[in-house]
Amino acid sequence: MENLYKKLLDGNKRFAESKKFEDKEYFKKLSYGQTPDYLWIGCSDSRVPANEITSTKSGEIFVHRNVANLVVHTDMNLLSVLEFAINNLKIKHIIVCGHYGCGGVKAAMSNDLHGFVDNWLCNIKDVYTKHEKELSAIKEPDKREDRLTELNVIEQVRNVAKTTIVQQAWKVRPLHIHGWVYGINSGLITDLCVIHDDQESLEEIYRFKL
Ligand code: CO
């Protein structure tokens, strides 16, 4: 048990060797800098690694992960990542990727106490309240949970779009925000097709919802 961590260090050696075997300059090239086109906002869940499930390599995706892929407007960590990704890295696409079977969503749907994380998960409870009519009409608990997972992604996409950072970027250049859900039991991503790519796409929604 104590040596469990050694597996990671051994794995790292194999990784470095195999990359160098494929391309002697691999790490040298990466050391010049990063120019990723995508910012990934995903769940911390160990089964949803951004690069692995999208068959992308080091340097291709800038990643921010937290429990239940939330975009909270007072989260300095996320806002810093977002600003750096947009203004410095000039990323072109932001992807909020949730996943079915999310423990965070599950926990938010119960009234049990889980600890400090419940304060964080209040944000999902707010999503539930906002869509209560639709959700309470779904009788099967699993299906209701899946729908809340999707609605949570949609709301987080909107939250990204509402940040001053994105609003300012839209004034000067194209930037697309996508909402996806990953199926742990299928390995496949579903595009929820809730893309926001300008101020108008956001106003469409709020004209009716606010
Ligand atoms: Co999750």
Side-chain angles (χ1 to χ4, degrees):
M1 276 305 251
E2 274 163 41
N3 293 334
L4 211 52
Y5 74 97
K6 284 192 176 150
K7 183 183 151 186
L8 305 187
L9 297 171
D10 293 342
N12 170 254
K13 279 192 196 108
R14 288 198 304 278
F15 159 78
E17 274 159 25
S18 75
K19 289 294 171 196
K20 278 188 277 187
F21 181 75
E22 285 167 29
D23 176 3
K24 258 169 59 178
E25 306 284 286
Y26 182 82
F27 293 106
K28 196 176 167 193
K29 283 182 206 158
L30 278 180
S31 72
Y32 294 147
Q34 58 170 338
T35 52
D37 289 324
Y38 318 93
L39 166 63
W40 177 278
I41 299 172
C43 184
S44 299
D45 194 301
S46 60
R47 299 163 297 176
V48 196
N51 283 120
E52 196 179 344
I53 66 170
T54 56
S55 295
T56 47
K57 299 192 242 28
S58 301
E60 287 192 82
I61 307 185
F62 200 59
V63 174
H64 175 85
R65 289 167 73 176
N66 62 44
V67 173
N69 40 270
L70 295 177
V71 176
V72 178
H73 289 126
T74 51
D75 180 355
M76 274 206 286
N77 184 350
L78 179 124
L79 293 176
S80 305
V81 167
L82 191 65
E83 187 185 62
F84 185 76
I86 292 174
N87 294 347
N88 297 67
L89 298 174
K90 311 285 181 201
I91 53 114
K92 299 171 184 76
H93 296 271
I94 299 171
I95 295 145
V96 176
C97 187
H99 67 100
Y100 296 116
C102 182
V105 172
K106 240 185 255 279
M109 284 179 77
S110 83
N111 287 321
D112 301 338
L113 289 175
H114 308 89
F116 191 76
V117 74
D118 289 321
N119 299 291
W120 180 248
L121 297 177
C122 271
N123 294 290
I124 307 180
K125 287 187 190 286
D126 290 344
V127 174
Y128 194 104
T129 306
K130 189 173 173 185
H131 298 274
E132 195 160 11
K133 207 173 156 199
E134 179 187 343
L135 289 164
S136 58
I138 304 169
K139 294 286 163 254
E140 256 180 81
D142 285 356
K143 292 220 169 82
R144 201 183 315 134
E145 188 188 303
D146 286 353
R147 185 58 186 148
L148 179 59
T149 299
E150 295 167 359
L151 290 168
N152 181 46
V153 167
I154 292 168
E155 291 300 332
Q156 305 318 316
V157 166
R158 290 175 185 171
N159 286 347
V160 175
K162 283 185 280 181
T163 59
T164 53
I165 304 160
V166 168
Q167 300 274 314
Q168 296 204 325
W170 274 341
K171 288 188 198 299
V172 292
R173 72 173 182 94
L175 176 65
H176 309 270
I177 314 165
H178 310 258
W180 295 355
V181 184
Y182 174 70
I184 285 176
N185 57 6
S186 68
L188 294 172
I189 290 169
T190 304
D191 185 348
L192 296 175
C193 299
V194 289
I195 193 162
H196 286 307
D197 48 16
D198 57 23
Q199 186 62 32
E200 266 176 44
S201 68
L202 192 65
E203 280 169 6
E204 279 284 291
I205 296 163
Y206 290 100
R207 203 171 296 149
F208 302 106
K209 297 267 165 77
L210 280 180

